[in-house]
Amino acid sequence: MSEVLFLPPQLVSSSVPSSFDGLVLKSERVERIGDHRWSVWVGADQLVEWEWEGGRRGFLGDSAANVELTELLWQRPYDFGVVGSVVLAAREVRVLPGVLRGSGTVQVEQPEVLDGIQRLGVLQRAVADQIPMEWLKRALLRVELVTGPTVETVRGELDAEDRRRNPATAQDELVRDANVLRLMRQFRADGVRFAVRRGEVREPYAGERCMTVEEATSALACLAPGARLEVAHAADGAAGRERLWADRGGESYRTMFNENTEAVGVLRAVEIARCVRGVVSRMGRGKRYGHAHLWRDVPQLAVWAVGRQLPLVELHREGRGPGAVDWDLLVRERLELLTVGVAEGLRDVYEALRPTAGGRRLRHAEVRELGFWAELMEEYGAAGDAAALDSLVGSDPLDSV
């Protein structure tokens, strides 16, 4: 006769045999899922006295994730089990139904941890640090129990889960920023699509009624009041933007997104950056050699340099009343000429700093380095201002390109 290992809930005595030396869980909610799985909700106090075995790793102590989990347990124990669970394999599971419907005492023979060893380690260390037992009782955890052939299936799926999970990024946390949420509402009211979440814009988009947070960040890094060159340089690439977004409380991030940032200012910054990039793209078309490659390789530097000629302190203010900046007129009638003058000035300074006489060759990769940006802008200086202003006089801004 085969041994019966998997007993369904049945009306038997609720007392646990004194000879049973496995794990005993008392729960107000026990659910059976198929033939070999159970889901049990228990207070964390019932899990702290067992010597746990299993898991791919031991307890990782003061890892960043465990530190955060420990803080959650001590500060809000009632939220400790809101997300996540402990998964245990067992040789046998018996459920002794309780008085209340769905409740019961669960006997778990030879438990082995398949997932959750870090959570269990945090609990045991909290006991050693004398956390009040009442707090642990309030920390409800979901314990998944599996037996028989399901054990290896679940073990394999847990091993594969890390590979299947899309890792969270700093961009994913932007929707937790109150200022970004406010901008999203403002744009929505104005009929502008402001794509903040990853995956919102999958295809190339056209038109001025849509922008991504990547584009807005790159533009604001150059054009927001108080912008700094190192921030503009960082925002020129995906990795740099991630670093800026990761430090939402830092000065660099808050230069771009703060209480004074308005949707109208973000839209202006993006429009200016698009215009500048478009102009230098046309200027650099086909120029793979010589100093003009600067325009093609680092358009972000051109946006930064043009921004130094603009009244950026007014960026987020409504353009109304005496003395207000007419941003629409500036973008429509002056920006292209201004951009050409700045771009030509940058190329001239680049040529003076890195002459090619005598067969010397340009290192194209150098122009993407922050040190080069700082050197070029320092040399550009007041002479660049004059060159930019001179460019406003003329007919066709692209005749000389």
Side-chain angles (χ1 to χ4, degrees), residues 197-218:
R197 297 176 177 87
R198 286 191 299 160
E200 279 192 272
V201 178
R202 296 178 181 275
E203 301 296 332
Y205 57 90
E208 296 181 352
R209 308 307 292 174
C210 173
M211 73 182 73
T212 66
V213 72
E214 293 95 335
E215 188 178 25
T217 300
S218 294

Side-chain angles (χ1 to χ4, degrees), residues 113-380:
V113 180
L114 298 182
D115 191 45
I117 197 71
Q118 306 307 316
R119 194 172 294 265
L120 293 169
V122 165
L123 288 172
Q124 291 183 326
R125 189 166 63 175
V127 171
D129 292 339
Q130 299 184 339
I131 190 172
M133 197 58 62
E134 285 299 317
W135 291 15
L136 295 181
K137 291 179 180 179
R138 296 170 61 190
L140 291 180
L141 282 174
R142 186 173 75 253
V143 179
E144 304 288 344
L145 303 170
V146 294
T147 58
T150 305
V151 171
E152 292 308 314
T153 299
V154 172
R155 193 195 308 275
E157 291 304 312
L158 286 170
D159 289 345
E161 182 64 17
D162 287 340
R163 300 193 301 272
R164 296 170 181 161
R165 184 178 292 116
N166 291 311
T169 68
Q171 183 177 348
D172 298 335
E173 299 298 319
L174 291 178
V175 292
R176 304 289 185 258
D177 183 343
N179 291 312
V180 172
L181 288 174
R182 175 175 52 80
L183 291 172
M184 293 172 68
R185 290 192 294 268
Q186 290 177 356
F187 276 122
R188 192 179 301 117
D190 293 337
V192 178
R193 184 182 180 191
F194 184 36
V196 174
R197 297 176 177 87
R198 286 191 299 160
E200 279 192 272
V201 178
R202 296 178 181 275
E203 301 296 332
Y205 57 90
E208 296 181 352
R209 308 307 292 174
C210 173
M211 73 182 73
T212 66
V213 72
E214 293 95 335
E215 188 178 25
T217 300
S218 294
L220 289 171
C222 293
L223 303 171
R228 304 194 310 276
L229 182 64
E230 63 268 24
V231 180
H233 180 270
D236 194 31
R241 286 191 294 269
E242 274 289 310
R243 290 194 300 271
L244 294 172
W245 293 333
D247 186 15
R248 299 206 311 272
E251 180 182 355
S252 297
Y253 177 88
R254 290 186 58 77
T255 297
M256 299 177 292
F257 300 103
N258 56 64
E259 294 79 3
N260 297 318
T261 305
E262 299 292 336
V264 64
V266 177
L267 187 59
R268 287 168 181 161
V270 170
E271 288 176 340
I272 292 169
R274 286 179 179 177
C275 179
V276 172
R277 287 174 175 272
V279 171
V280 297
S281 175
R282 295 194 298 275
M283 293 175 70
R285 190 171 298 152
K287 294 179 171 60
R288 294 185 176 275
Y289 305 100
H291 295 86
H293 82 90
L294 180 73
W295 300 329
R296 187 190 72 251
D297 289 348
V298 284
Q300 179 83 340
L301 180 58
V303 177
W304 167 265
V306 168
R308 312 290 56 83
Q309 318 296 329
L310 301 177
L312 299 180
V313 69
E314 303 288 331
L315 184 70
H316 294 293
R317 298 175 184 171
E318 291 289 347
R320 300 173 182 173
V325 177
D326 190 335
W327 288 96
D328 291 336
L329 180 66
L330 187 154
V331 172
R332 186 172 61 251
E333 298 187 4
R334 298 187 59 196
L335 188 58
E336 187 169 331
L337 288 167
L338 180 62
T339 299
V340 170
V342 169
E344 292 282 8
L346 290 174
R347 183 193 59 182
D348 292 344
V349 172
Y350 180 29
E351 190 170 0
L353 289 173
R354 301 291 189 274
T356 54
R360 282 179 288 187
R361 303 178 63 180
L362 296 173
R363 291 196 303 115
H364 285 209
E366 181 189 26
V367 302
R368 298 186 177 90
E369 298 172 0
L370 176 58
F372 174 82
W373 286 28
E375 181 184 3
L376 188 68
M377 289 305 303
E378 182 178 3
E379 190 68 22
Y380 182 64

Side-chain angles (χ1 to χ4, degrees), residues 49-69:
E49 296 182 359
W50 190 263
E51 292 296 326
W52 297 106
E53 296 181 356
R56 289 185 297 172
R57 296 169 291 198
F59 179 54
L60 298 181
D62 290 326
S63 69
N66 288 345
V67 168
E68 190 169 338
L69 199 57

